[in-house]
Amino acid sequence: AQSVAQPEDQVNVAEGNPLTVKCTYSVSGNPYLFWYVQYPNRGLQFLLKYITGDNLVKGSYGFEAEFNKSQTSFHLKKPSALVSDSALYFCAVRAKDTGRRALTFGSGTRLQVQP
Amino acid sequence: GAGVSQSPSNKVTEKGKDVELRCDPISGHTALYWYRQSLGQGLEFLIYFQGNSAPDKSGLPSDRFSAERTGGSVSTLTIQRTQQEDSAVYLCASSPTEPYNEQFFGPGTRLTVL
């Protein structure tokens, strides 16, 4: 079975400060890892993914994430938060070496960036 | 190009009625997925299509739920004899064939069962 944990229901950060949204995963074998963002009354938008190679992945809107295999983590980061980054963020995983194509999502972390 | 579209955007129905939710994937995407997002919950996988076949139906919560895909394109999720616990946002996603590709999500259908 595969699972994702996002230990923080909400993260508060001041505009201009760095932000981190945490994600740990459990999967058999190697993972494909994804971050999505959801704005109010909108579908999920893809931010970035880790497939293979460089552990630091850069994505949309200045976000990046670091894959850490030993800690089974894939934390989302941004050097300088914007108020417009306020949204619900989901981490997702699927196993690379199985036929299962469905993503398993975490419960989401609400990011609140204060002006 | 056009993204994933879903209809209707909102559906209110009475307990016991059947509902059909429609998904139009991105043109050329062979994989199609249905997920459910309940209030305060994360996303729950329902079913995956590759072409017109559904190799993974493991997420369908009961036999009241079914889905089909025709012509390798449009998909319909049907819920029979709706219950109040079926109230949720139903999200459809599509992706190209390769398994490492990200899934592109539609805006969802908000289903309310009274």
Side-chain angles (χ1 to χ4, degrees), chain B residues 11-88:
Chain B
K11 177 70 176 180
V12 180
T13 190
E14 294 179 347
K15 178 181 173 181
K17 300 283 189 183
D18 297 351
V19 295
E20 287 189 349
L21 312 179
R22 176 187 169 104
C23 172
D24 279 276
I26 293 173
S27 178
H29 281 190
T30 57
L32 186 147
Y33 309 78
W34 284 97
Y35 294 87
R36 179 168 71 174
Q37 185 176 22
S38 303
L39 187 62
Q41 304 292 318
L43 278 82
E44 172 189 12
F45 165 74
L46 298 177
I47 187 169
Y48 154 59
F49 286 92
Q50 182 62 41
N52 290 336
S53 64
D56 189 352
K57 306 178 183 179
S58 63
L60 294 177
S62 75
D63 59 7
R64 295 186 296 104
F65 287 73
S66 63
E68 65 175 12
R69 189 179 185 193
T70 56
S73 181
V74 172
S75 177
T76 302
L77 177 69
T78 301
I79 309 174
Q80 296 179 308
R81 305 181 302 281
T82 53
Q83 304 294 312
Q84 288 183 333
E85 61 263 29
D86 299 335
S87 296

Side-chain angles (χ1 to χ4, degrees), chain A residues 12-51:
Chain A
N12 297 309
V13 65
E15 187 174 32
N17 282 1
L19 69 88
T20 298
V21 182
K22 295 180 180 177
C23 170
T24 58
Y25 67 91
S26 174
V27 71
S28 297
N30 296 307
Y32 293 135
L33 291 155
F34 303 83
W35 275 101
Y36 285 84
V37 60
Q38 187 176 37
Y39 297 99
N41 300 315
R42 301 277 297 276
L44 275 71
Q45 295 180 29
F46 169 75
L47 276 180
L48 50 79
K49 65 183 177 184
Y50 171 80
I51 303 302

Side-chain angles (χ1 to χ4, degrees), chain A residues 46-100:
Chain A
F46 169 75
L47 276 180
L48 50 79
K49 65 183 177 184
Y50 171 80
I51 303 302
T52 188
D54 194 348
N55 289 343
L56 184 64
V57 178
K58 294 187 183 295
S60 305
Y61 313 119
F63 284 93
E64 58 188 29
E66 185 165 12
F67 171 62
N68 187 316
K69 188 172 184 178
S70 63
Q71 297 185 5
T72 62
S73 67
F74 190 56
H75 301 331
L76 181 69
K77 300 182 179 184
K78 187 174 182 181
S80 179
L82 299 173
V83 173
S84 57
D85 293 330
S86 298
L88 187 58
Y89 290 79
F90 289 96
C91 181
V93 69
R94 65 166 289 261
K96 184 180 293 187
D97 305 314
T98 71
R100 182 169 170 79

